Amino acid sequence: MPTTTNPPIRLRLHRHPLSGHAHRVELLLRMLDLPYAAQDVDLLAGAHKKPEFLALNPFGQVPVLQDGDLTLFDSNAILVYLAKRYDRSGRWLPDDAATAAHVQQWLSVAAGQLVNGPSTARLVTLFKAPLDHDRALAISGQLFGVIDRHLATRDFLAAPEHQPSHATIADLAIYSYTAHAPEGGVSLEAFSHLKRWLKRVEALPGFVPMQASPRLAA
Ligand SMILES: N[C@@H](CCC(=O)N[C@@H](CS)C(=O)NCC(=O)O)C(=O)O
């Protein structure tokens, strides 16, 4: 009987298990059913500031994706690459001008308000980062209010109102730090549309949760 050998794994993701930026990339890798090797970077030991890692990302941050000879840093750039390179359906990053722009709006929010709000709040509670927790809570409340109202009339972030739709990379970019916002002391209780959207993302084939951390005591 002929033996088959699997092709060598080309994709290598440098990540940390508590990084929402890395988790959003793992979500798309899983949802596209792409085999990859995961390489944990010991952020607490400063491995991301060593020359070997800085050669991959001069900003010294995870995630980094390697695909053969190609090396990419920045989670949103990696999502764009994976969607363009491997998603034959075109659903994760649609080509039409309006939808592509709507996806980009949310990628910008993921690099802006989501970092300054929920992600920063979580850095304070989990890692005692010397950052302004009250400011992060205020930004989070405003951000989740906007997202909740937006999702009142659509299933996914970059979708048209009241029409059947598929998730895009915008949903993955916003999901991880939103789902884990309570770990930073940010309550999601008031945001019912947002909570239903979290469940929709979690129901997508290939979904894997990010490792949970203890929640801030109320
Ligand atoms: N814009 C970057 C941000 C990545 C980022 O902030 N990574 C964090 C972990 S979640 C990190 O590596 N922090 C270590 C540091 O900045 O020194 C991206 O989207 O990938």
Side-chain angles (χ1 to χ4, degrees), residues 12-16 19 22 38-43 45-66 71-74 78:
R12 176 174 295 271
L13 178 68
H14 301 259
R15 59 152 205 188
H16 186 277
S19 163
Q39 175 96 37
D40 282 345
V41 179
D42 191 347
L43 299 184
H48 54 311
K49 304 300 177 192
K50 296 269 164 59
E52 309 82 271
F53 191 80
L54 291 173
L56 302 177
N57 179 0
F59 293 108
Q61 295 182 319
V62 293
V64 167
L65 182 82
Q66 292 179 288
T71 301
L72 288 171
F73 63 81
D74 189 84
I78 296 169

